Amino acid sequence: MNFIEEIVEKDLQEGLNDGRIQTRFPPEPNGYLHIGHVKAICMDFGIAEKYNGICNLRFDDTNPVKEDVEYVDSITNDIAWLGFRWGKIFYASDYFDRLYDLAIRFIKEGKAYVDEQTAEEIAAQKGTPTQAGQNSPYRDRPIEENLRLFQAMQNGEIEEGKMVLRAKIDMANPNMHFRDPIIYRIITSHPHHRTGKRWNVYPMYDFAHGQSDYFEGVTHSICTLEFVVHRPLYDWFIDQFVPQGEYRPHQYEFNRLNITYTVMSKRKMLQLVKEGLVAGWDDPRMPTVCGLRRRGYTAQAIRSFIDKIGYTKVEGMIDVGLLEHTVRECLKETAPRVCAIFDPVKLIITNYPEGQIENITAENIDGKPEVGTRQMPFGKELWIEREDFRQEGDKNFYRLSPMGREVRLKNAYIIQATGCEQDAEGNITTVYATYDPTSKSGTEGGNRKTKATINWVECTTAIDAQARLYDRLFAVENPSADERDFRELLNPDSLKVTTCKVESALSNAKMQDHFQFLKQGYFVVDDDSTKEQLIFNRTASLKDNWLKK
Ligand code: ATP
Ligand code: MG
């Protein structure tokens, strides 16, 4: 049980809010969801699921400059893909009328004023945590004038940036957020993606968030630790219009997710996308939900990772090795093992009948018949990995060499190499071998042990596929802590495009199908894949150093 669940259980025991549990997930639709958001999603939806409550989805759409329906759609899609179900979908913009009325009420009660200073002037008066700020010269303007000017702001009579509405609290408060925070600003340059041009003034986060929680009946408003310092202000606003003892939402905070070798900020991700440094929000190197999905991460793997890291009240950095370990752990259970040859050399089995193709039935995962079987065509000419043959074998090399060792072809027969052919440069072009017809896997002779098993694909039925070998996006562990620009820290080897020859059974592979390419890694069918050109993305290599650590 995490510490938020403990709070919820205590609240339930005490009968708070008549036992009602309501959370929300409040993304700003200004980018795609990343795995950091998933940590918040698992918390918000998880609490609701566990305690018979409701989690609503609320788009925090108070800044039309950066927001768009494209983001709204991707966010709902990603949450559903992760397997969570929201109660209702709300938008902060649903409350623009109520928030505006509340701002008017604040003005009438002498708790808000229109400031005409520039952003720089206001910032210069803020003071420091140990030094009080200065009052704005507009702080004590008459209520009537504030009402008139705020109305003028909304009517579009005032230019963007020329005036703001500020709460009148305390310029000397040790909490800087209390020093007359801006609660409304003018935005006329961009229409809102839902309310169009209806509004010329928009509420700031601090004024919109807690109030929206209250309007919806949220009981536990859970967010990340950077909002701890905002919490007193969150409560202050509620105190101004909700009598003590009545229902009110409460804010709780947990630690953000940060992962090594990546960035966890929509702003930086947007930059990578806009500047073409990645192929898009769903580039398989991106830590976005759609990027991870395209990389071959399953929803189960991502959720299992979030479970593993847990929730605390201290910021930290998670080793990306744990994320990679988790996806291997999940795919290991379900991904069919198939052959894909990356550096092919031809193997000819001289004593196999010319023109004959036999179908071998192979288990998708050895010893797990429930994962199914497939047909592997076998014939006289096969592709094998170049490194599986050595002309100069030695006693420590157990694969093919003319030394005469027996080697098993995965799921098929035992062979012995007899020789090879080279081109003018000395590159091996063909390997020759003989097979033992009585040694077929799955028959009695199939039990005969060899020191090595190698992978193969039958030549006439092999499919040429593209493989995109992805690696970590950044070359340094913590790009955000580096003094250099994060864009200079990208890993130049984060993508290698290559080809491979895969089994014919993969001709039916569909987008998002997962495989383990034997000895190579976990791969997924890319969204760009077609019947004519199969494309596989490497999700993760097979080597896992995590458990050793
Ligand atoms: P970013 O800094 O990437 O722009 P954000 O916090 O501005 O993220 P929002 O859309 O406002 O993005 O976030 C929605 C919710 O997701 C918030 O409750 C926020 O606390 C949470 N969240 C965002 N990033 C993380 C993270 N790295 N770890 C955990 N929760 C996060
Ligand atoms: Mg935010």
Side-chain angles (χ1 to χ4, degrees), residues 27 46 74 82 88 157 172 232 243 249 255 298 300 387 433 473-474 476 494 521 541:
S74 73
L82 285 165
K88 293 195 178 113
E157 294 159 22
N255 60 332
T298 57
Q300 185 212 351
E387 62 166 28
L473 183 54
F474 286 90
V476 301
S494 60
S541 60

Side-chain angles (χ1 to χ4, degrees), residues 102 105-106 206-215 218 231-244 246-250:
L102 197 58
R105 174 169 162 184
F106 272 49
D206 283 317
F207 193 67
H209 203 91
Q211 274 71 295
S212 302
D213 285 343
Y214 174 78
F215 298 152
V218 168
R231 191 189 334 126
L233 186 57
Y234 178 105
D235 291 335
W236 187 88
F237 282 129
I238 304 273
D239 285 343
Q240 305 315 305
F241 67 100
V242 179
Q244 286 300 329
E246 280 188 13
Y247 149 78
R248 62 184 49 226
H250 286 281

Side-chain angles (χ1 to χ4, degrees), residues 24-30 33-37 39-40 44 60 222-224 226-227 254-258 264-267 269:
R24 86 287 167 265
F25 175 63
E28 183 178 358
N30 62 351
L33 292 181
H34 52 63
I35 190 165
H37 292 115
K39 181 170 177 181
D44 294 328
D60 191 8
I222 309 165
C223 58
T224 37
E226 70 271 26
F227 292 102
F254 63 84
N255 60 332
R256 280 178 88 82
L257 172 60
N258 297 300
M264 207 63 81
S265 135
K266 278 185 280 191
R267 185 179 56 80
M269 292 180 204

Side-chain angles (χ1 to χ4, degrees), residues 261-262 272 276-279 283-286 295 324 467-476 487 489-498 536-540:
Y261 296 98
T262 192
L272 294 174
L277 296 167
V278 293
D283 185 301
R285 292 165 294 186
M286 290 279 270
R295 177 77 170 256
E324 295 162 350
R468 299 178 178 169
L469 307 182
Y470 290 105
D471 203 345
R472 295 166 181 177
L473 183 54
F474 286 90
V476 301
R487 289 163 295 184
L489 308 172
L490 289 164
N491 173 9
D493 299 318
S494 60
L495 169 60
K496 284 195 198 113
V497 180
T498 179
F536 293 93
N537 296 331
R538 183 171 68 192
T539 309

Side-chain angles (χ1 to χ4, degrees), residues 103 106 111-115 122 125-126 134 136 139 164-173 175-185 202-208 211 229-230 232-234 236-237 240:
F106 272 49
K111 292 172 184 163
Y113 62 97
V114 172
D115 198 334
I122 291 175
Q125 292 165 355
K126 266 256 141 137
Q134 285 160 264
S136 162
R139 198 172 199 262
V164 290
L165 184 70
R166 297 176 72 179
K168 190 170 174 177
I169 312 181
D170 176 9
M171 288 304 290
N173 199 294
N175 182 335
M176 301 282 285
H177 294 283
F178 273 84
R179 297 187 185 176
D180 292 9
I182 296 172
I183 57 176
Y184 260 93
R185 59 178 160 175
Y202 290 91
M204 301 296 287
Y205 173 89
D206 283 317
F207 193 67
Q211 274 71 295
V229 285
H230 294 251
L233 186 57
Y234 178 105
W236 187 88
F237 282 129
Q240 305 315 305

Side-chain angles (χ1 to χ4, degrees), residues 496-528:
K496 284 195 198 113
V497 180
T498 179
T499 56
C500 60
K501 297 189 178 289
V502 300
E503 296 181 24
S504 62
L506 296 191
S507 65
N508 298 320
K510 296 181 303 298
M511 271 185 228
Q512 291 293 315
D513 278 355
H514 303 272
F515 298 96
Q516 184 192 105
F517 288 178
L518 286 160
K519 295 186 186 167
Q520 300 288 346
Y522 290 101
F523 285 77
V524 67
V525 179
D526 185 71
D527 297 358
D528 285 344

